[in-house]
Amino acid sequence: MTTNRERRTRTVLSGVVAIVVSGLVAGALPQEAAAQSSAPSLTAGLGMTAYKQAVAEALSEDEGLAAFYRARDFAPLWTAADAVGAERRSALIEALATASDHGLPEARYDADGLMARMARVTGERAMGEMEIELSRTFLRFAHDLNGGMLDGRRVDSGIKRPPIRVPSEALLQAMADGEPRTVIHGIAPRTPEYAGLMRAKLELERTIAHGGWGMPVTATRLELGDSGQQVVSLRDRLSAMGYLKPTLTAVFDDTMRSAVSDFQADHGLAVDGIVGGSTLSAINTSPEARLQSVLVAMERERWLNLPEGRGKRHVFVNLVDFHAKIIDDGKVTFETRSVIGHQDPDRRTPEFSDVMSHMVINPSWYVPRSIVVKEYLPQLRRNPGAVSHLEITDRNGRRVNRGRGFSQYSAASFPFSMRQPPGPRNALGLVKFMFPNKYNIYLHDTPSKSLFNQTQRTYSHGCIRLNDPQDFAKALLALQTDDPVGFFQSRLRTGAETRVNLETPVPVHLVYRTAFTTPKGHINFRNDVYGRDAKIWQALAAEGVALGRPQS
């Protein structure tokens, strides 16, 4: 996808780069044209001593960079005085000019300053220093574009996903072996989601450049049959956002109600066609705020740009969309509503990826220590018979006599564990799905079905509850048995806790996207329920990310 601005920028930069590198291609540096006879050649073997020394001295802080140059005996990648070197330089400068299209700050790579310094290079030592500066600029841009600018773990403790980036040596070797523009073009995520977010970014920038979506709606409630100026404001805003065809009506009619319903669906709201508090808040959200969400989502998509991919089959849970999906070959084959951790800091569901290895039918619930001492011990201290649906066991698994009481124990000294046996009232329901991890997070059934009727479902202690867990289980089992329904029901009927291994383990990705696209290309938005995206935006802004330049 190439914008008019990018095409214009490339045309200008190509001309500038051609001037900067013309002397190099002819065998002379830009400011040494008058002294060609004494200028040392970069390809003259023993004549590269000063160049090699400069390169070697600059490599001490990046082992991947150093390994690449050592393996090629310090031969130049960017500053070679031939057409290939010129093409690499030109491709890099052109790519840096597109940084803002990806939501990256152009100043971070300083293409203008880089070209100015290229034009002032004199002598082999300066050429060696420029060689490394070009490589470092390329690697910084490539790492940012491929795996993200930020380490999310430093932004919010609930983000457990480490940055995964193509190694420096591999990136440089790809540039050495491949066609430069093709190599650079392949660095960014190649997912439909990333492309969709880029389109949404450009569209929001155009909207901002043309004045936004119009006047906010100040009514407290609008519904079918209403009329007047506030309906006109609603009409104009829905039209500007693409939900309503241009019209002169001042009446809230069926067409407007349908448009409101579509808007509500795209924003995770209750779909009733009535403009009330939460719908008004979403409608009045500025395009600038929506653009921030898109820029954060682009950074998050780069975090999930895994070298091995997400898995031919994988489970994808967008926490703030409150849905869990099974995806096969890029298509959603099963979807169910989910409940995630409460907003309390110690109950929020973390973000990470792991691999689902098995499910447990008729599971026991082994109560986490934090819940035991924070929630149940105070009750037991007052009444030893409290929470009678839970077994209290010692370190050997033996049942503890409640008659002795528990008033003598504190949170630090309580020596027992608690367990809820399998059964229809079990907190985990009838099945749980395990991707063993140090955060003790998994997917599971629940007897609390009414919570799935809420639009914002933040009620758990951190694990993810599923609305249709048995169908989820059968969908997973369908690849390893001809009768997944019968297989599951036969194990369920025993009432016994039963582990069922997945013959092919399934990657699980727990993500947090307040902006995302649909297969039809629509952009959806969700609330930042844990405040994580606000922190990421602050971190991106601190690195120089801005809301972008107006797009034509």
Side-chain angles (χ1 to χ4, degrees):
M1 180 175 58
T2 304
T3 64
N4 291 334
R5 178 175 63 80
E6 180 180 333
R7 283 191 288 268
R8 291 195 300 270
T9 301
R10 286 187 175 181
T11 299
V12 172
L13 286 173
S14 295
V16 173
V17 172
I19 294 172
V20 171
V21 305
S22 60
L24 295 176
V25 175
L29 298 172
Q31 293 187 359
E32 294 183 296
Q36 290 187 48
S37 59
S38 61
S41 170
L42 292 179
T43 59
L46 295 176
M48 293 180 63
T49 302
Y51 165 86
K52 284 187 178 182
Q53 183 177 353
V55 171
E57 289 174 356
L59 294 176
S60 59
E61 297 180 359
D62 189 328
E63 180 53 37
L65 187 61
F68 171 77
Y69 279 99
R70 283 197 300 265
R72 58 193 284 116
D73 193 28
F74 302 98
L77 177 68
W78 309 96
T79 57
D82 56 22
V84 176
E87 185 179 6
R88 290 175 185 142
R89 292 189 295 271
S90 180
L92 175 60
I93 296 298
E94 289 176 5
L96 298 181
T98 69
S100 64
D101 291 344
H102 296 275
L104 300 173
E106 291 184 5
R108 183 176 173 88
Y109 318 106
D110 190 21
D112 291 340
L114 194 62
M115 287 191 295
R117 290 187 290 278
M118 287 167 60
R120 293 194 301 266
V121 170
T122 58
E124 280 197 8
R125 182 171 185 82
M127 184 65 77
E129 293 169 349
M130 177 53 62
E131 172 72 26
I132 298 305
E133 183 176 0
L134 286 164
S135 280
R136 283 179 172 159
T137 301
F138 165 68
L139 290 174
R140 187 176 207 187
F141 178 69
H143 285 146
D144 290 351
L145 190 57
N146 179 258
M149 291 175 58
L150 305 176
D151 182 343
R153 299 171 300 176
R154 298 180 179 179
V155 177
D156 188 281
S157 61
I159 301 172
K160 309 298 185 180
R161 194 179 307 283
I164 300 175
R165 300 184 175 105
V166 177
S168 298
E169 188 174 1
L171 284 166
L172 291 166
Q173 194 60 54
M175 182 60 72
D177 295 339
E179 196 282 318
R181 287 173 177 81
T182 301
V183 171
I184 292 175
H185 184 69
I187 290 174
R190 309 307 301 163
T191 62
E193 178 68 6
Y194 193 74
L197 290 170
M198 286 188 73
R199 287 192 295 270
K201 173 185 176 294
L202 292 171
E203 181 58 36
L204 284 165
E205 287 173 340
R206 293 188 189 101
T207 296
I208 293 169
H210 290 87
W213 289 320
M215 296 296 295
V217 181
T218 59
T220 57
R221 180 182 174 92
L222 293 171
E223 57 186 309
L224 189 66
D226 286 344
S227 61
Q229 182 55 48
Q230 289 306 305
V231 172
V232 171
S233 295
L234 174 64
R235 176 202 70 192
D236 291 346
R237 205 159 175 90
L238 289 172
S239 179
M241 287 188 280
Y243 287 96
L244 188 66
K245 291 181 179 179
T247 175
L248 296 177
T249 184
V251 177
F252 195 125
D253 55 15
D254 284 330
T255 301
M256 192 174 296
R257 181 172 63 176
S258 178
V260 169
S261 295
D262 290 343
F263 176 90
Q264 290 170 327
D266 282 350
H267 292 74
L269 303 167
V271 179
D272 58 11
I274 297 172
V275 181
S278 57
T279 300
L280 273 169
S281 177
I283 284 176
N284 286 332
T285 298
S286 69
E288 289 84 358
R290 296 305 190 194
L291 179 55
Q292 288 182 12
S293 296
V294 169
L295 291 170
V296 169
M298 291 175 70
E299 174 72 0
R300 286 182 170 280
E301 184 71 3
R302 291 188 286 264
W303 293 352
L304 204 59
N305 191 28
L306 307 175
E308 70 279 9
R310 298 179 189 178
K312 181 179 176 65
R313 159 173 274 202
H314 63 271
V315 173
F316 190 88
V317 183
N318 182 359
L319 300 178
V320 293
D321 183 39
F322 307 109
H323 281 79
K325 302 175 182 178
I326 297 175
I327 298 178
D328 290 286
D329 295 317
K331 296 182 179 180
V332 177
T333 55
F334 185 85
E335 182 173 1
T336 183
R337 293 182 180 185
S338 63
V339 167
I340 68 170
H342 194 274
Q343 290 101 320
D344 289 346
D346 60 349
R347 294 173 60 184
R348 297 173 181 176
T349 304
E351 305 166 42
F352 63 98
S353 293
D354 218 301
V355 179
M356 186 182 293
S357 57
H358 64 281
M359 67 182 71
V360 179
I361 302 172
N362 297 313
S364 296
W365 181 40
Y366 296 91
V367 186
R369 176 75 181 179
S370 61
I371 299 177
V372 169
V373 299
K374 291 181 180 180
E375 298 186 23
Y376 295 148
L377 178 57
Q379 298 179 52
L380 291 169
R381 285 168 56 86
R382 293 190 299 269
N383 174 15
V387 291
S388 59
H389 62 291
L390 299 175
E391 297 176 354
I392 303 175
T393 58
D394 63 18
R395 66 183 61 189
N396 296 315
R398 295 172 300 199
R399 297 274 302 261
V400 172
N401 182 0
R402 289 174 177 249
R404 298 175 58 185
F406 303 96
S407 60
Q408 69 272 36
Y409 297 115
S410 67
S413 66
F414 189 71
F416 307 122
S417 299
M418 301 183 75
R419 167 184 175 268
Q420 185 180 20
R425 294 182 56 206
N426 187 281
L428 306 184
L430 299 176
V431 60
K432 66 177 180 178
F433 306 89
M434 303 300 293
F435 40 107
N437 57 83
K438 62 184 178 181
Y439 317 113
N440 198 29
I441 298 296
Y442 44 88
L443 311 181
H444 65 88
D445 185 13
T446 177
S448 303
K449 299 296 186 182
S450 63
L451 296 178
F452 293 103
N453 295 325
Q454 304 297 318
T455 54
Q456 180 169 304
R457 298 186 284 275
T458 51
Y459 298 104
S460 83
H461 283 87
C463 287
I464 298 165
R465 306 173 189 174
L466 302 181
N467 189 41
D468 303 296
Q470 294 191 37
D471 290 338
F472 188 86
K474 294 163 190 174
L476 290 172
L477 293 169
L479 294 187
Q480 61 190 65
T481 175
D482 293 334
D483 183 14
V485 175
F487 180 93
F488 182 87
Q489 291 298 330
S490 66
R491 272 63 177 177
L492 185 64
R493 283 194 296 269
T494 67
E497 188 167 351
T498 305
R499 171 175 171 146
V500 178
N501 291 333
L502 297 180
E503 293 179 1
T504 302
V506 179
V508 177
H509 306 291
L510 307 186
V511 305
Y512 187 107
R513 302 288 177 85
T514 62
F516 60 93
T517 65
T518 69
K520 293 183 179 180
H522 296 165
I523 185 73
N524 277 215
F525 294 99
R526 297 294 184 267
N527 291 332
D528 184 12
V529 296
Y530 293 160
R532 288 179 187 164
D533 272 17
K535 291 182 181 180
I536 294 173
W537 171 251
Q538 290 174 357
L540 289 173
E543 292 292 337
V545 175
L547 293 185
R549 295 175 294 187
Q551 301 293 306
S552 59

